[in-house]
Amino acid sequence: MPAQDSILRLDATAIDYLIIALYFAFVLGIGYLAKRAVSNSLDFFLSGRSLPAWVTGLAFISANLGAIEIMGMSANGAEYGMPTVHYFWVGAIPAMLFLGVVMMPFYYGSKVRSVPEFMLRRFGPPAHLVNAISFAVAQVLIAGVNLFLLATIVNVLLGWPIWVSVIVAAVIVLSYITLGGLSAAIYNEVLQFFVIVAALLPLTIVGLHKVGGWQGLTEKVTGSPGGGEQLSAWPGNALSGFSSNFLSVIGIVFGLGFVLSFGYWTTNFVEVQRAMASKNMSAARRTPIIGSFPKMFVPFIVIVPGMIAAVLVPELADFKANGSGEVDYNDALLLLMRDLLPNGMLGLAITGLLASFMAGMAANLSSFNTVVSYDLIERYVIKDRPDEFYLRTGRWVTVVGTVIAIGTAAIASGYSNLMDYLQQLFSFFNAPLFATFILGMFWKRMTATAGWVGLVSGTATAVLVFILSENGVIDLPGQGASFVGAGAAFVVDIVVSVLVSLATAPKRDEELVGLVYSLTPKEQRTEVTVRGDHGWYRRPVLLAGISLAMTIALNIVFG
Amino acid sequence: MADQTSTPKQKAGAFDIRVVIAALIGSYGLVLTILGIIADPAEVAKAGGLNINLWGGIAMLVFAALFVLWARLRPIVVPVDEHPRE
């Protein structure tokens, strides 16, 4: 859409620009400060494994609180209402808790530096290569998508040309990551988290005030085209695409809650890297668990504003009733900002959006440079150099990754549908990965050959289902197709892995200590209490229990 | 944090992320509070009569103060390097 006549153009003034500029000054400042702490490659790629759990916990969710999350979930909120909370309460929290309680001991305890490296130790080079290459490609492409979305928003809101915003944003992210490495990315993610909350919470409060409180929102949503069912999370038929209530609940719990979300949260190195950067085993396990507490309340500042926009903004209410108009659900947050926020708070809201776009991109790049440097270059291309070499390589890889991301952004600006497909496709990749990991961690008989064969056949299944659903052979509206695709990939991966394992020779037990549950002594799987880790509120399993109980309570209250 | 192996107990000095967060959110709070005080009534009406700049600004100032307090009460102590570097 041409920027000149966008109805979304915000009336930003000098004071708003001041607020935006202040934020970027802080972002670069953090990069500079973090640089002083980087003296070797472990500092650069894993923050020297020194960060406290609350920092990595907030970074853990902030890395995921990117553009797609905020704009996408508020759009879903406007379209479907409360059932969108399943992406958080069913589709994230159980998997995050599982990662902290069950899987983190293997990741952190085995001292691997990346998720693909775990793959290498458990299954050997073929599985490692498949995993490392597909991960690196996915990350750099997604970084490009984030970059492009950021530029589009800046273009629509402020009228800057797309290529200017692409380059400015890329240079800012690049500067702080090459300076400070993962620490800079993580510290900025924590800062971003607070800025995003400071931007969205006031928007939600003003929106609720204007709509007449929760009471007013309830009445208006009930009277809107969506009707009263948009006020309760279950059974969420519109979201899952199944007409039967029973199938819808099953689809959400198993498809979204189990296969899709466990795949994403437990094997995605972007997330796991944050936990690996923490200072000890206890902090690593607490990282996703601490992250789950803010995560369960994110819907209230993302989905609720979407719902408010759908009843409060005339253009959007019109779109919801007629299905056509100048705006669509993706504009929900922007429209609400335009209508409700005075200058000042408006600048902060724009800052919050920019922060979230950059968070996503920085997270992609900081895990990309680790996997490319440690898993591809150090392992297969240029071996046995001194550590400074890999530190320098990491900085250059970041530069190359950013340049590729700019290229991807340029492609995305020409073929926006292509990028949608890619993103959807990548979401399928995690399901077979999770199947391979979980089988490999709990079944010592699983062989190296089974590792990569299972992974490849699972991924092929995901791609096949994706192609079939794109061509209309499998016809499921809503999220149904990705639930089925991920589910099929998971099952095929497990079946193939088991069959291949039975036909090939397993690794010796001694090689699998620390990598497989039954061969890892309990002391190695649990944290030794060290100074600063005392107190019941620092016990991972107890914290996870509290988090789970709170999530169930939220489901009952808003069910 | 530059020379974290020199003394067993050392405060992390200027680079405590809590202080950085408090500084940014605090500056926002200050700017917004001032904007809220001098607010144009027409702008306030846009938000349904709620002066969000003022209240949001005050809330951010309080938040920043709490973060500074937290950093003061529980300063980062850099212990001797417990994990041998690989």
Side-chain angles (χ1 to χ4, degrees):
Chain A
M1 104 188 73
Q4 284 70 22
D5 48 18
S6 168
I7 58 165
L8 291 166
R9 176 65 49 78
L10 298 177
D11 191 13
T13 58
I15 197 79
D16 299 312
Y17 281 106
L18 174 77
I19 286 175
I20 298 171
L22 196 59
Y23 171 71
F24 286 108
F26 269 76
V27 165
L28 292 174
I30 286 180
Y32 177 74
L33 288 171
K35 180 177 189 286
R36 300 192 315 190
V38 175
S39 58
N40 62 22
S41 76
L42 198 66
D43 287 340
F44 186 77
F45 294 120
L46 283 180
S47 303
R49 296 192 208 269
S50 63
L51 301 178
W54 72 270
V55 166
T56 50
L58 286 179
F60 188 90
I61 56 161
S62 198
N64 172 260
L65 205 57
I68 302 151
E69 178 94 349
I70 289 190
M71 306 299 278
M73 290 303 153
S74 56
N76 281 338
E79 186 172 1
Y80 302 116
M82 282 310 274
T84 313
V85 297
H86 294 316
Y87 284 103
F88 297 80
W89 297 344
V90 174
I93 290 176
M96 289 164 68
L97 300 180
F98 185 82
L99 171 65
V101 172
V102 180
M103 292 177 77
M104 194 53 71
F106 298 102
Y107 283 138
Y108 196 89
S110 63
K111 288 281 174 222
V112 293
R113 296 167 301 182
S114 69
V115 169
E117 194 171 323
F118 184 87
M119 214 62 170
L120 178 71
R121 304 247 325 252
R122 178 66 184 83
F123 298 117
H128 175 244
L129 264 179
V130 170
N131 186 207
I133 292 176
S134 67
F135 178 80
V137 171
Q139 288 318 303
V140 81
L141 291 179
I142 295 175
V145 175
N146 270 316
L147 193 56
F148 172 66
L149 287 174
L150 179 141
T152 323
I153 293 295
V154 175
N155 174 254
V156 171
L157 296 183
L158 305 174
W160 297 17
I162 291 211
W163 65 270
V164 172
S165 344
V166 163
I167 290 174
V168 170
V171 167
I172 290 174
V173 171
L174 181 65
S175 338
Y176 72 75
I177 295 184
T178 42
L179 282 173
L182 185 65
S183 297
I186 287 184
Y187 282 135
N188 268 316
E189 278 157 9
V190 176
L191 186 70
Q192 275 151 358
F193 175 79
F194 288 106
V195 171
I196 292 168
V197 172
L200 293 179
L201 187 59
L203 181 66
T204 312
I205 291 171
V206 178
L208 274 178
H209 176 75
K210 182 104 175 194
V211 83
W214 189 256
Q215 184 71 34
L217 181 64
T218 312
E219 285 164 14
K220 289 224 168 60
V221 170
T222 311
S224 82
E229 67 183 67
Q230 297 210 337
L231 287 165
S232 49
W234 296 97
N237 306 68
L239 186 77
S240 64
F242 295 106
S243 53
S244 139
N245 287 354
F246 178 71
L247 278 183
S248 175
V249 172
I250 297 286
I252 288 172
V253 171
F254 286 95
L256 177 67
F258 184 62
V259 185
L260 276 182
S261 92
F262 275 65
Y264 176 81
W265 291 101
T266 62
T267 64
N268 189 336
F269 181 50
V270 177
E271 299 300 334
V272 177
Q273 188 180 26
R274 268 92 200 127
M276 283 181 174
S278 50
K279 59 184 178 183
N280 57 39
M281 172 75 91
S282 167
R285 296 184 73 188
R286 272 183 282 134
T287 294
I289 299 170
I290 289 177
S292 74
F293 289 95
K295 183 79 182 171
M296 70 179 78
F297 296 103
V298 169
F300 294 106
I301 58 170
V302 174
I303 297 172
V304 170
M307 293 169 68
I308 296 172
V311 293
L312 206 59
V313 178
E315 292 102 320
L316 199 62
D318 226 32
F319 178 78
K320 194 165 179 170
N322 307 320
S324 63
E326 276 189 83
V327 298
D328 68 26
Y329 294 122
N330 287 318
D331 303 326
L333 271 188
L334 303 178
L335 289 164
L336 204 61
M337 281 161 55
R338 181 199 67 180
D339 284 1
L340 297 184
L341 294 183
N343 289 110
M345 204 48 102
L346 181 67
L348 186 51
I350 298 173
T351 310
L353 287 183
L354 296 180
S356 85
F357 285 80
M358 297 209 336
M361 183 188 168
N364 297 138
L365 280 179
S366 59
S367 53
F368 170 82
N369 67 17
T370 310
V371 167
V372 171
S373 309
Y374 274 157
D375 287 293
L376 296 173
I377 296 180
E378 184 179 3
R379 187 74 58 189
Y380 298 105
V381 188
I382 311 169
K383 297 173 196 170
D384 303 322
R385 291 289 188 88
D387 190 68
E388 299 88 69
F389 173 79
Y390 297 106
L391 173 59
R392 213 167 45 240
T393 307
R395 293 201 158 112
W396 279 111
V397 168
T398 316
V399 174
V400 172
T402 310
V403 171
I404 301 176
I406 292 176
T408 317
I411 300 173
S413 67
Y415 305 90
S416 56
N417 284 338
L418 184 75
M419 299 322 287
D420 285 349
Y421 290 153
L422 273 182
Q423 235 159 5
Q424 226 177 328
L425 199 54
F426 291 143
S427 77
F428 289 8
F429 281 8
N430 291 311
L433 203 52
F434 174 60
T436 300
F437 265 95
I438 204 73
L439 204 59
M441 275 180 184
F442 288 96
W443 193 40
K444 65 175 185 173
R445 180 73 182 73
M446 186 170 177
T447 64
T449 321
W452 71 268
V453 174
L455 203 54
V456 169
S457 43
T459 308
T461 310
V463 174
L464 183 71
V465 173
F466 176 75
I467 292 171
L468 290 180
S469 71
E470 284 305 316
N471 292 332
V473 181
I474 301 174
D475 186 28
L476 278 173
Q479 287 293 310
S482 37
F483 294 172
V484 171
F490 183 84
V491 172
V492 167
D493 186 313
I494 295 273
V495 170
V496 170
S497 300
V498 169
L499 292 179
V500 173
S501 288
L502 294 176
T504 44
K507 281 186 145 184
R508 284 178 301 116
D509 282 4
E510 303 82 72
E511 293 179 76
L512 297 176
V513 174
L515 304 172
V516 177
Y517 184 83
S518 61
L519 298 174
T520 308
K522 194 164 190 298
E523 309 80 67
Q524 207 173 325
R525 279 188 274 116
T526 43
E527 59 282 348
V528 196
T529 310
V530 293
R531 188 157 42 97
D533 279 334
H534 299 289
W536 61 269
Y537 57 91
R538 289 206 176 93
R539 283 170 48 200
V541 178
L542 183 67
L543 273 179
I546 296 173
S547 171
L548 193 64
M550 283 171 70
T551 310
I552 292 172
L554 282 170
N555 265 296
I556 293 170
V557 173
F558 293 94
Chain B
M1 290 213 324
D3 49 348
Q4 53 180 338
T5 42
S6 57
T7 46
K9 275 197 167 189
Q10 181 189 11
K11 286 180 186 171
F15 193 41
D16 182 338
I17 189 67
R18 292 170 294 188
V19 178
V20 179
I21 293 167
L24 180 66
I25 301 288
S27 333
Y28 283 165
L30 196 65
V31 172
L32 292 177
T33 308
I34 295 170
L35 282 174
I37 292 169
I38 57 168
D40 175 4
E43 281 279 289
V44 177
K46 195 175 167 184
L50 183 68
N51 192 341
I52 192 65
N53 274 345
L54 182 64
W55 294 112
I58 291 173
M60 284 173 213
L61 286 175
V62 172
F63 171 88
L66 288 177
F67 253 56
V68 171
L69 195 67
W70 179 24
R72 274 291 172 83
L73 292 179
R74 302 276 303 272
I76 297 181
V77 176
V78 182
V80 258
D81 208 349
E82 285 166 90
H83 305 285
R85 296 286 162 86
E86 276 138 292

